[in-house]
Amino acid sequence: IAQLHYGADTDKRAVRERFRNLFRTELDPNGQPVPFSRFRGYMTRVLDGIDRSKAAQELILEQFVEEAKSGRLAFHCQSFQSTSDEPFRSKIEPLYS
């Protein structure tokens, strides 16, 4: 998703580190999967920090979902692929055929 926003020269290591730290700080210090209730609490805090309006929060979440869909599609786009993606590509099914 960062590459979609900023281009192919995105520092993937910095992105990985940023979100690894965010996950371990906000969700699980060991990087383990979390229950939906914990993720929901985190997202509620994030959304409240952006905008307190529930209508605005709904629109923001819709945007997050669309960005995630775009990221999944880009994972299968040859111009975005890298050899480091190979072990994961088969596990991420394209949303649209």
Side-chain angles (χ1 to χ4, degrees), residues 1 43 46-47 50 57 59-69:
I1 293 171
M43 284 305 303
V46 168
L47 292 168
I50 296 171
Q57 289 179 358
L59 293 172
I60 293 164
L61 277 176
E62 287 174 359
Q63 179 64 32
F64 288 170
V65 168
E66 291 305 314
E67 286 194 13
K69 287 180 182 178

Side-chain angles (χ1 to χ4, degrees), residues 34-41:
V34 297
F36 178 73
S37 60
R38 186 173 303 160
F39 176 74
R40 183 180 185 278

Side-chain angles (χ1 to χ4, degrees), residues 3 8 12 16 74-89:
Q3 285 185 291
K12 291 185 246 179
R16 184 181 310 112
F75 210 83
H76 293 281
C77 181
Q78 195 164 18
S79 64
F80 282 97
Q81 291 179 1
S82 72
T83 56
S84 64
D85 296 340
E86 193 56 42
F88 308 104
R89 196 170 298 113

Side-chain angles (χ1 to χ4, degrees), residues 16-36:
R16 184 181 310 112
E17 188 64 26
R18 174 182 176 207
F19 287 99
R20 176 180 287 137
N21 288 339
L22 180 126
F23 190 90
R24 290 173 186 248
T25 301
E26 299 293 336
L27 297 169
D28 184 84
N30 299 313
Q32 296 299 308
V34 297
F36 178 73

